[in-house]
Short mmCIF file of all heavy atoms in Angstrom, two decimals:
data_model
loop_
_atom_site.label_atom_id
_atom_site.label_comp_id
_atom_site.label_asym_id
_atom_site.label_seq_id
_atom_site.Cartn_x
_atom_site.Cartn_y
_atom_site.Cartn_z
N MET Z 1 -3.84 -4.45 -21.33
CA MET Z 1 -5.19 -4.02 -21.56
C MET Z 1 -5.98 -3.96 -20.26
O MET Z 1 -6.53 -2.87 -19.94
CB MET Z 1 -5.85 -5.05 -22.50
CG MET Z 1 -7.25 -4.52 -23.00
SD MET Z 1 -7.99 -5.75 -24.03
CE MET Z 1 -9.68 -5.05 -24.19
N PHE Z 2 -6.03 -5.04 -19.48
CA PHE Z 2 -6.65 -4.98 -18.15
C PHE Z 2 -6.00 -3.93 -17.25
O PHE Z 2 -6.69 -3.40 -16.47
CB PHE Z 2 -6.60 -6.33 -17.55
CG PHE Z 2 -7.64 -7.30 -18.07
CD1 PHE Z 2 -7.27 -8.41 -18.78
CD2 PHE Z 2 -9.00 -7.00 -17.99
CE1 PHE Z 2 -8.25 -9.35 -19.30
CE2 PHE Z 2 -9.94 -7.86 -18.48
CZ PHE Z 2 -9.61 -8.98 -19.18
N LYS Z 3 -4.68 -3.82 -17.43
CA LYS Z 3 -3.96 -2.99 -16.51
C LYS Z 3 -4.51 -1.51 -16.58
O LYS Z 3 -4.58 -0.79 -15.54
CB LYS Z 3 -2.48 -2.99 -16.97
CG LYS Z 3 -1.56 -2.89 -15.75
CD LYS Z 3 -0.13 -3.02 -16.22
CE LYS Z 3 0.85 -2.92 -15.00
NZ LYS Z 3 2.24 -2.94 -15.48
N ASN Z 4 -4.99 -1.14 -17.76
CA ASN Z 4 -5.48 0.24 -17.94
C ASN Z 4 -6.70 0.47 -17.17
O ASN Z 4 -7.03 1.57 -16.76
CB ASN Z 4 -5.82 0.49 -19.46
CG ASN Z 4 -4.54 0.51 -20.25
OD1 ASN Z 4 -3.47 0.72 -19.78
ND2 ASN Z 4 -4.70 0.19 -21.56
N VAL Z 5 -7.43 -0.54 -16.92
CA VAL Z 5 -8.74 -0.46 -16.07
C VAL Z 5 -8.39 -0.60 -14.63
O VAL Z 5 -8.91 0.16 -13.85
CB VAL Z 5 -9.70 -1.60 -16.53
CG1 VAL Z 5 -11.02 -1.43 -15.70
CG2 VAL Z 5 -9.96 -1.44 -18.05
N ILE Z 6 -7.60 -1.55 -14.31
CA ILE Z 6 -7.30 -1.86 -12.88
C ILE Z 6 -6.43 -0.80 -12.15
O ILE Z 6 -6.70 -0.45 -11.06
CB ILE Z 6 -6.65 -3.27 -12.83
CG1 ILE Z 6 -7.68 -4.32 -13.17
CG2 ILE Z 6 -6.17 -3.49 -11.33
CD1 ILE Z 6 -7.13 -5.71 -13.37
N ALA Z 7 -5.46 -0.22 -12.89
CA ALA Z 7 -4.55 0.67 -12.23
C ALA Z 7 -5.23 1.91 -11.62
O ALA Z 7 -4.84 2.21 -10.45
CB ALA Z 7 -3.48 1.16 -13.24
N PRO Z 8 -6.18 2.49 -12.20
CA PRO Z 8 -6.92 3.58 -11.64
C PRO Z 8 -7.59 3.18 -10.38
O PRO Z 8 -7.70 3.97 -9.38
CB PRO Z 8 -7.81 4.18 -12.69
CG PRO Z 8 -7.27 3.66 -13.98
CD PRO Z 8 -6.61 2.38 -13.63
N ILE Z 9 -8.23 2.01 -10.38
CA ILE Z 9 -8.96 1.52 -9.24
C ILE Z 9 -7.97 1.27 -8.05
O ILE Z 9 -8.30 1.69 -6.89
CB ILE Z 9 -9.70 0.19 -9.57
CG1 ILE Z 9 -10.72 0.48 -10.70
CG2 ILE Z 9 -10.32 -0.41 -8.32
CD1 ILE Z 9 -11.36 -0.79 -11.23
N GLN Z 10 -6.84 0.71 -8.39
CA GLN Z 10 -5.91 0.44 -7.31
C GLN Z 10 -5.32 1.81 -6.73
O GLN Z 10 -5.19 1.87 -5.57
CB GLN Z 10 -4.69 -0.40 -7.86
CG GLN Z 10 -5.12 -1.79 -8.26
CD GLN Z 10 -4.01 -2.74 -8.54
OE1 GLN Z 10 -2.95 -2.27 -8.97
NE2 GLN Z 10 -4.17 -4.04 -8.36
N ALA Z 11 -5.08 2.71 -7.63
CA ALA Z 11 -4.58 4.04 -7.22
C ALA Z 11 -5.65 4.66 -6.27
O ALA Z 11 -5.28 5.30 -5.27
CB ALA Z 11 -4.34 4.92 -8.39
N TRP Z 12 -6.88 4.49 -6.66
CA TRP Z 12 -7.94 5.12 -5.80
C TRP Z 12 -7.97 4.42 -4.46
O TRP Z 12 -8.14 5.10 -3.42
CB TRP Z 12 -9.34 4.91 -6.58
CG TRP Z 12 -10.45 5.48 -5.77
CD1 TRP Z 12 -10.78 6.78 -5.59
CD2 TRP Z 12 -11.34 4.70 -4.94
NE1 TRP Z 12 -11.86 6.89 -4.74
CE2 TRP Z 12 -12.23 5.60 -4.32
CE3 TRP Z 12 -11.49 3.34 -4.70
CZ2 TRP Z 12 -13.27 5.13 -3.45
CZ3 TRP Z 12 -12.51 2.91 -3.83
CH2 TRP Z 12 -13.35 3.84 -3.27
N LEU Z 13 -8.01 3.08 -4.48
CA LEU Z 13 -7.96 2.36 -3.21
C LEU Z 13 -6.80 2.78 -2.27
O LEU Z 13 -7.01 3.06 -1.08
CB LEU Z 13 -7.87 0.87 -3.42
CG LEU Z 13 -9.20 0.16 -3.82
CD1 LEU Z 13 -8.93 -1.26 -4.36
CD2 LEU Z 13 -10.15 0.07 -2.65
N LEU Z 14 -5.66 2.91 -2.94
CA LEU Z 14 -4.47 3.32 -2.11
C LEU Z 14 -4.63 4.73 -1.56
O LEU Z 14 -4.24 5.02 -0.44
CB LEU Z 14 -3.26 3.23 -2.91
CG LEU Z 14 -2.35 2.00 -2.86
CD1 LEU Z 14 -1.06 2.19 -3.62
CD2 LEU Z 14 -2.08 1.62 -1.39
N SER Z 15 -5.21 5.59 -2.36
CA SER Z 15 -5.43 6.99 -1.94
C SER Z 15 -6.44 6.96 -0.75
O SER Z 15 -6.45 8.01 0.05
CB SER Z 15 -5.99 7.81 -3.05
OG SER Z 15 -7.33 7.58 -3.35
N GLN Z 16 -7.24 5.95 -0.61
CA GLN Z 16 -8.15 5.88 0.50
C GLN Z 16 -7.55 5.10 1.67
O GLN Z 16 -8.19 4.85 2.66
CB GLN Z 16 -9.48 5.06 0.10
CG GLN Z 16 -10.16 5.61 -1.11
CD GLN Z 16 -10.71 6.95 -0.82
OE1 GLN Z 16 -11.54 7.10 0.03
NE2 GLN Z 16 -10.38 7.98 -1.72
N GLY Z 17 -6.29 4.76 1.52
CA GLY Z 17 -5.57 4.03 2.58
C GLY Z 17 -5.99 2.58 2.68
O GLY Z 17 -5.95 1.94 3.70
N LYS Z 18 -6.43 2.00 1.53
CA LYS Z 18 -6.93 0.61 1.57
C LYS Z 18 -6.10 -0.31 0.63
O LYS Z 18 -5.47 0.15 -0.27
CB LYS Z 18 -8.39 0.59 1.12
CG LYS Z 18 -9.29 1.12 2.07
CD LYS Z 18 -10.75 1.12 1.48
CE LYS Z 18 -11.65 1.83 2.53
NZ LYS Z 18 -12.97 1.90 2.00
N CYS Z 19 -5.98 -1.54 1.11
CA CYS Z 19 -5.27 -2.54 0.33
C CYS Z 19 -5.85 -2.71 -1.05
O CYS Z 19 -7.15 -2.87 -1.11
CB CYS Z 19 -5.25 -3.85 1.10
SG CYS Z 19 -4.53 -5.20 0.17
N VAL Z 20 -5.05 -2.73 -2.12
CA VAL Z 20 -5.52 -2.91 -3.42
C VAL Z 20 -6.03 -4.37 -3.70
O VAL Z 20 -6.71 -4.62 -4.63
CB VAL Z 20 -4.52 -2.49 -4.49
CG1 VAL Z 20 -4.13 -1.04 -4.32
CG2 VAL Z 20 -3.33 -3.40 -4.53
N GLY Z 21 -5.60 -5.30 -2.86
CA GLY Z 21 -5.94 -6.67 -3.07
C GLY Z 21 -7.21 -7.08 -2.35
O GLY Z 21 -8.11 -7.68 -2.94
N CYS Z 22 -7.40 -6.69 -1.10
CA CYS Z 22 -8.53 -7.11 -0.33
C CYS Z 22 -9.37 -6.04 0.25
O CYS Z 22 -10.49 -6.25 0.81
CB CYS Z 22 -8.03 -8.02 0.86
SG CYS Z 22 -7.06 -7.16 2.02
N GLY Z 23 -8.94 -4.73 0.07
CA GLY Z 23 -9.74 -3.54 0.46
C GLY Z 23 -9.68 -3.24 1.97
O GLY Z 23 -10.36 -2.35 2.39
N MET Z 24 -8.86 -4.05 2.73
CA MET Z 24 -8.74 -3.79 4.16
C MET Z 24 -8.09 -2.38 4.42
O MET Z 24 -7.10 -2.06 3.74
CB MET Z 24 -7.97 -4.87 4.78
CG MET Z 24 -7.96 -4.77 6.37
SD MET Z 24 -7.02 -6.07 7.14
CE MET Z 24 -5.37 -5.30 7.07
N PRO Z 25 -8.58 -1.63 5.39
CA PRO Z 25 -7.92 -0.38 5.68
C PRO Z 25 -6.50 -0.71 6.23
O PRO Z 25 -6.32 -1.50 7.19
CB PRO Z 25 -8.75 0.17 6.82
CG PRO Z 25 -10.13 -0.41 6.65
CD PRO Z 25 -9.85 -1.88 6.13
N LEU Z 26 -5.51 -0.04 5.61
CA LEU Z 26 -4.08 -0.41 5.98
C LEU Z 26 -3.72 0.11 7.36
O LEU Z 26 -2.80 -0.25 7.95
CB LEU Z 26 -3.18 0.20 4.91
CG LEU Z 26 -3.35 -0.53 3.57
CD1 LEU Z 26 -2.44 0.19 2.45
CD2 LEU Z 26 -2.86 -1.98 3.70
N SER Z 27 -4.62 1.00 7.93
CA SER Z 27 -4.31 1.47 9.27
C SER Z 27 -4.46 0.32 10.29
O SER Z 27 -4.01 0.42 11.36
CB SER Z 27 -5.28 2.60 9.64
OG SER Z 27 -6.65 2.19 9.42
N LYS Z 28 -5.17 -0.74 9.86
CA LYS Z 28 -5.35 -1.94 10.71
C LYS Z 28 -4.30 -3.03 10.51
O LYS Z 28 -4.32 -4.03 11.16
CB LYS Z 28 -6.75 -2.51 10.42
CG LYS Z 28 -7.85 -1.61 10.92
CD LYS Z 28 -9.22 -2.22 10.66
CE LYS Z 28 -10.38 -1.37 11.14
NZ LYS Z 28 -11.68 -2.00 10.71
N ALA Z 29 -3.47 -2.74 9.46
CA ALA Z 29 -2.45 -3.73 9.13
C ALA Z 29 -1.25 -3.61 10.01
O ALA Z 29 -1.03 -2.59 10.66
CB ALA Z 29 -2.10 -3.67 7.68
N LYS Z 30 -0.36 -4.68 10.07
CA LYS Z 30 0.81 -4.62 10.84
C LYS Z 30 1.77 -3.63 10.15
O LYS Z 30 1.91 -3.63 8.96
CB LYS Z 30 1.41 -6.00 10.85
CG LYS Z 30 0.93 -6.91 11.97
CD LYS Z 30 1.72 -8.22 11.99
CE LYS Z 30 1.50 -9.07 10.75
NZ LYS Z 30 2.30 -10.27 10.84
N SER Z 31 2.52 -2.90 10.92
CA SER Z 31 3.51 -2.02 10.34
C SER Z 31 4.78 -2.04 11.14
O SER Z 31 4.80 -2.22 12.36
CB SER Z 31 3.00 -0.62 10.21
OG SER Z 31 2.75 -0.03 11.43
N THR Z 32 5.84 -1.81 10.47
CA THR Z 32 7.18 -1.78 11.11
C THR Z 32 7.95 -0.52 10.61
O THR Z 32 7.65 -0.10 9.43
CB THR Z 32 8.08 -2.96 10.80
OG1 THR Z 32 8.05 -3.20 9.44
CG2 THR Z 32 7.50 -4.22 11.45
N PRO Z 33 8.77 0.18 11.41
CA PRO Z 33 9.45 1.39 10.96
C PRO Z 33 10.32 1.00 9.78
O PRO Z 33 10.95 -0.01 9.71
CB PRO Z 33 10.38 1.71 12.18
CG PRO Z 33 9.60 1.13 13.36
CD PRO Z 33 9.01 -0.15 12.83
N TYR Z 34 10.38 1.95 8.83
CA TYR Z 34 11.14 1.74 7.58
C TYR Z 34 11.73 3.01 7.12
O TYR Z 34 11.00 3.95 6.87
CB TYR Z 34 10.22 1.07 6.52
CG TYR Z 34 10.90 0.87 5.23
CD1 TYR Z 34 11.87 -0.17 5.03
CD2 TYR Z 34 10.50 1.65 4.13
CE1 TYR Z 34 12.40 -0.33 3.81
CE2 TYR Z 34 11.14 1.49 2.91
CZ TYR Z 34 12.09 0.39 2.75
OH TYR Z 34 12.68 0.27 1.50
N LYS Z 35 13.03 3.04 6.93
CA LYS Z 35 13.68 4.26 6.31
C LYS Z 35 13.12 5.55 6.90
O LYS Z 35 12.42 6.30 6.28
CB LYS Z 35 13.50 4.24 4.81
CG LYS Z 35 14.45 3.24 4.14
CD LYS Z 35 14.40 3.47 2.60
CE LYS Z 35 15.24 2.45 1.84
NZ LYS Z 35 15.00 2.53 0.40
N GLY Z 36 13.55 5.88 8.16
CA GLY Z 36 13.27 7.19 8.68
C GLY Z 36 11.78 7.39 8.99
O GLY Z 36 11.31 6.76 9.88
N ASN Z 37 11.11 8.26 8.23
CA ASN Z 37 9.73 8.59 8.52
C ASN Z 37 8.70 7.64 7.91
O ASN Z 37 7.45 7.92 7.98
CB ASN Z 37 9.43 10.01 8.07
CG ASN Z 37 10.21 10.96 8.90
OD1 ASN Z 37 10.22 10.94 10.10
ND2 ASN Z 37 10.79 12.05 8.27
N ASN Z 38 9.15 6.57 7.31
CA ASN Z 38 8.29 5.66 6.66
C ASN Z 38 7.96 4.44 7.46
O ASN Z 38 8.65 4.17 8.45
CB ASN Z 38 8.80 5.25 5.28
CG ASN Z 38 9.06 6.39 4.36
OD1 ASN Z 38 8.33 7.40 4.41
ND2 ASN Z 38 10.06 6.24 3.53
N LYS Z 39 6.85 3.81 7.15
CA LYS Z 39 6.57 2.51 7.71
C LYS Z 39 6.26 1.49 6.71
O LYS Z 39 5.69 1.80 5.64
CB LYS Z 39 5.27 2.65 8.61
CG LYS Z 39 5.57 3.32 9.91
CD LYS Z 39 4.24 3.40 10.78
CE LYS Z 39 4.50 3.94 12.13
NZ LYS Z 39 3.30 4.15 12.82
N MET Z 40 6.75 0.26 6.90
CA MET Z 40 6.47 -0.82 5.97
C MET Z 40 5.23 -1.50 6.55
O MET Z 40 5.24 -1.92 7.66
CB MET Z 40 7.73 -1.81 5.95
CG MET Z 40 7.47 -2.99 5.00
SD MET Z 40 7.49 -2.52 3.24
CE MET Z 40 9.28 -2.33 2.95
N VAL Z 41 4.19 -1.52 5.70
CA VAL Z 41 2.93 -2.10 6.15
C VAL Z 41 2.72 -3.41 5.43
O VAL Z 41 2.75 -3.51 4.24
CB VAL Z 41 1.80 -1.17 5.90
CG1 VAL Z 41 0.47 -1.73 6.36
CG2 VAL Z 41 2.01 0.18 6.59
N THR Z 42 2.42 -4.50 6.24
CA THR Z 42 2.08 -5.70 5.65
C THR Z 42 0.59 -6.06 5.89
O THR Z 42 0.18 -6.19 7.07
CB THR Z 42 2.96 -6.88 6.31
OG1 THR Z 42 4.31 -6.46 6.27
CG2 THR Z 42 2.76 -8.19 5.53
N CYS Z 43 -0.16 -6.19 4.79
CA CYS Z 43 -1.55 -6.54 4.88
C CYS Z 43 -1.71 -8.00 5.21
O CYS Z 43 -0.83 -8.79 5.07
CB CYS Z 43 -2.23 -6.22 3.52
SG CYS Z 43 -3.97 -6.44 3.63
N LYS Z 44 -2.92 -8.36 5.69
CA LYS Z 44 -3.20 -9.72 6.00
C LYS Z 44 -3.11 -10.67 4.78
O LYS Z 44 -2.99 -11.82 4.87
CB LYS Z 44 -4.58 -9.91 6.69
CG LYS Z 44 -5.71 -9.44 5.75
CD LYS Z 44 -7.04 -9.70 6.41
CE LYS Z 44 -8.18 -9.23 5.53
NZ LYS Z 44 -9.54 -9.39 6.16
N CYS Z 45 -3.26 -10.00 3.56
CA CYS Z 45 -3.14 -10.81 2.30
C CYS Z 45 -1.73 -10.81 1.84
O CYS Z 45 -1.51 -11.26 0.71
CB CYS Z 45 -4.14 -10.31 1.30
SG CYS Z 45 -3.71 -8.65 0.66
N ASN Z 46 -0.79 -10.38 2.72
CA ASN Z 46 0.64 -10.43 2.39
C ASN Z 46 1.10 -9.43 1.39
O ASN Z 46 2.28 -9.48 0.99
CB ASN Z 46 1.10 -11.83 2.01
CG ASN Z 46 1.05 -12.82 3.23
OD1 ASN Z 46 1.37 -12.42 4.24
ND2 ASN Z 46 0.79 -14.06 2.89
N ARG Z 47 0.24 -8.51 0.97
CA ARG Z 47 0.77 -7.46 0.09
C ARG Z 47 1.43 -6.42 1.00
O ARG Z 47 1.05 -6.21 2.13
CB ARG Z 47 -0.41 -6.74 -0.72
CG ARG Z 47 -0.90 -7.58 -1.86
CD ARG Z 47 -2.08 -6.95 -2.51
NE ARG Z 47 -2.43 -7.64 -3.63
CZ ARG Z 47 -3.11 -8.77 -3.66
NH1 ARG Z 47 -3.57 -9.32 -2.53
NH2 ARG Z 47 -3.49 -9.38 -4.79
N MET Z 48 2.50 -5.84 0.49
CA MET Z 48 3.34 -4.94 1.29
C MET Z 48 3.32 -3.47 0.74
O MET Z 48 3.30 -3.28 -0.47
CB MET Z 48 4.78 -5.42 1.43
CG MET Z 48 4.83 -6.83 2.12
SD MET Z 48 6.45 -7.39 2.28
CE MET Z 48 7.01 -6.36 3.68
N TYR Z 49 3.20 -2.52 1.62
CA TYR Z 49 3.13 -1.13 1.23
C TYR Z 49 4.09 -0.30 2.13
O TYR Z 49 4.44 -0.77 3.15
CB TYR Z 49 1.72 -0.62 1.54
CG TYR Z 49 0.62 -1.41 0.79
CD1 TYR Z 49 0.03 -2.49 1.39
CD2 TYR Z 49 0.24 -1.03 -0.48
CE1 TYR Z 49 -0.88 -3.23 0.70
CE2 TYR Z 49 -0.69 -1.73 -1.18
CZ TYR Z 49 -1.30 -2.79 -0.62
OH TYR Z 49 -2.16 -3.56 -1.28
N VAL Z 50 4.39 0.80 1.58
CA VAL Z 50 5.26 1.78 2.36
C VAL Z 50 4.40 3.00 2.63
O VAL Z 50 3.78 3.60 1.69
CB VAL Z 50 6.47 2.15 1.61
CG1 VAL Z 50 7.27 3.33 2.32
CG2 VAL Z 50 7.40 0.97 1.27
N LEU Z 51 4.33 3.35 3.92
CA LEU Z 51 3.51 4.46 4.31
C LEU Z 51 4.47 5.61 4.62
O LEU Z 51 5.37 5.52 5.44
CB LEU Z 51 2.72 4.17 5.67
CG LEU Z 51 2.04 5.40 6.28
CD1 LEU Z 51 1.09 6.08 5.46
CD2 LEU Z 51 1.43 4.99 7.67
N ASP Z 52 4.22 6.80 3.93
CA ASP Z 52 4.98 7.99 4.16
C ASP Z 52 4.25 8.73 5.29
O ASP Z 52 3.15 9.16 5.12
CB ASP Z 52 5.03 8.88 2.92
CG ASP Z 52 5.76 10.18 3.18
OD1 ASP Z 52 5.87 10.67 4.34
OD2 ASP Z 52 6.34 10.67 2.16
N THR Z 53 4.78 8.65 6.47
CA THR Z 53 4.03 9.12 7.63
C THR Z 53 3.89 10.64 7.60
O THR Z 53 3.02 11.30 8.34
CB THR Z 53 4.68 8.73 8.98
OG1 THR Z 53 6.02 9.20 8.99
CG2 THR Z 53 4.60 7.21 9.14
N LYS Z 54 4.78 11.36 6.89
CA LYS Z 54 4.60 12.81 6.80
C LYS Z 54 3.43 13.23 5.93
O LYS Z 54 2.66 14.09 6.30
CB LYS Z 54 5.92 13.40 6.20
CG LYS Z 54 7.00 13.72 7.23
CD LYS Z 54 8.13 14.46 6.59
CE LYS Z 54 9.24 14.80 7.61
NZ LYS Z 54 10.42 15.23 6.91
N ALA Z 55 3.38 12.60 4.80
CA ALA Z 55 2.37 12.87 3.78
C ALA Z 55 1.06 12.06 4.11
O ALA Z 55 -0.02 12.22 3.55
CB ALA Z 55 2.75 12.62 2.38
N ASN Z 56 1.23 11.02 4.95
CA ASN Z 56 0.12 10.03 5.21
C ASN Z 56 -0.39 9.37 3.90
O ASN Z 56 -1.49 9.31 3.76
CB ASN Z 56 -0.95 10.70 5.98
CG ASN Z 56 -1.77 9.66 6.76
OD1 ASN Z 56 -1.26 8.63 7.16
ND2 ASN Z 56 -3.00 9.93 6.92
N LYS Z 57 0.63 8.99 3.08
CA LYS Z 57 0.24 8.33 1.80
C LYS Z 57 0.87 6.98 1.70
O LYS Z 57 2.04 6.75 2.12
CB LYS Z 57 0.68 9.19 0.64
CG LYS Z 57 -0.18 10.38 0.36
CD LYS Z 57 0.29 11.15 -0.83
CE LYS Z 57 -0.69 12.34 -1.13
NZ LYS Z 57 -0.15 13.19 -2.16
N TYR Z 58 0.17 6.10 1.17
CA TYR Z 58 0.59 4.74 0.96
C TYR Z 58 1.08 4.55 -0.50
O TYR Z 58 0.56 5.14 -1.43
CB TYR Z 58 -0.49 3.70 1.21
CG TYR Z 58 -0.86 3.58 2.67
CD1 TYR Z 58 -1.92 4.38 3.14
CD2 TYR Z 58 -0.16 2.71 3.50
CE1 TYR Z 58 -2.31 4.30 4.50
CE2 TYR Z 58 -0.58 2.62 4.86
CZ TYR Z 58 -1.66 3.37 5.26
OH TYR Z 58 -2.01 3.29 6.60
N ARG Z 59 2.05 3.65 -0.68
CA ARG Z 59 2.41 3.20 -2.02
C ARG Z 59 2.77 1.74 -1.93
O ARG Z 59 3.10 1.22 -0.82
CB ARG Z 59 3.51 4.06 -2.66
CG ARG Z 59 4.83 3.87 -1.90
CD ARG Z 59 5.97 4.54 -2.72
NE ARG Z 59 7.17 4.54 -1.94
CZ ARG Z 59 8.04 3.49 -1.86
NH1 ARG Z 59 7.76 2.33 -2.53
NH2 ARG Z 59 9.19 3.54 -1.23
N ARG Z 60 2.70 1.08 -3.04
CA ARG Z 60 3.13 -0.35 -3.05
C ARG Z 60 4.62 -0.42 -2.78
O ARG Z 60 5.44 0.37 -3.33
CB ARG Z 60 2.84 -1.03 -4.49
CG ARG Z 60 1.38 -1.16 -4.70
CD ARG Z 60 0.68 -2.16 -3.89
NE ARG Z 60 1.16 -3.49 -3.92
CZ ARG Z 60 0.71 -4.38 -4.86
NH1 ARG Z 60 -0.29 -4.13 -5.66
NH2 ARG Z 60 1.19 -5.60 -4.83
N ALA Z 61 5.04 -1.39 -1.93
CA ALA Z 61 6.43 -1.66 -1.78
C ALA Z 61 7.12 -2.22 -3.09
O ALA Z 61 6.46 -3.02 -3.72
CB ALA Z 61 6.67 -2.57 -0.63
N LEU Z 62 8.27 -1.74 -3.36
CA LEU Z 62 8.97 -2.35 -4.53
C LEU Z 62 9.54 -3.65 -4.20
O LEU Z 62 9.82 -3.97 -3.02
CB LEU Z 62 10.05 -1.39 -4.92
CG LEU Z 62 9.72 0.07 -5.20
CD1 LEU Z 62 10.98 0.95 -5.51
CD2 LEU Z 62 8.74 0.18 -6.39
N LEU Z 63 9.68 -4.48 -5.22
CA LEU Z 63 10.24 -5.82 -5.00
C LEU Z 63 11.56 -5.72 -4.26
O LEU Z 63 11.81 -6.58 -3.44
CB LEU Z 63 10.48 -6.59 -6.35
CG LEU Z 63 9.24 -7.36 -6.85
CD1 LEU Z 63 9.52 -7.98 -8.19
CD2 LEU Z 63 8.78 -8.40 -5.82
N SER Z 64 12.38 -4.77 -4.58
CA SER Z 64 13.64 -4.61 -3.97
C SER Z 64 13.65 -4.22 -2.54
O SER Z 64 14.65 -4.29 -1.85
CB SER Z 64 14.51 -3.59 -4.75
OG SER Z 64 13.80 -2.31 -4.73
N GLU Z 65 12.48 -3.81 -2.05
CA GLU Z 65 12.32 -3.37 -0.67
C GLU Z 65 11.77 -4.50 0.18
O GLU Z 65 11.81 -4.37 1.47
CB GLU Z 65 11.31 -2.20 -0.60
CG GLU Z 65 11.85 -0.99 -1.30
CD GLU Z 65 10.77 0.14 -1.35
OE1 GLU Z 65 9.60 -0.17 -1.51
OE2 GLU Z 65 11.18 1.30 -1.22
N ILE Z 66 11.29 -5.51 -0.37
CA ILE Z 66 10.69 -6.61 0.39
C ILE Z 66 11.70 -7.59 0.96
O ILE Z 66 12.62 -7.88 0.24
CB ILE Z 66 9.61 -7.37 -0.38
CG1 ILE Z 66 8.49 -6.39 -0.69
CG2 ILE Z 66 9.11 -8.55 0.34
CD1 ILE Z 66 7.53 -6.91 -1.72
ZN1 LIG G 1 -4.85 -6.90 1.58
#
């Protein structure tokens, strides 16, 4: 039930390049090269994201990628 409300907000935050947990711009977070053109970004709140540097889009890192 809550997921239905929160998911669009998180998607919006990510589309703005911000962490869904703390709202920090992910461009300021630590990043390491990951799978070719991607970067693994670790926020200060320990949430992890994958940045597609071609599309310049963030997504949440999957559990299997961490
Ligand atoms: Zn964060």
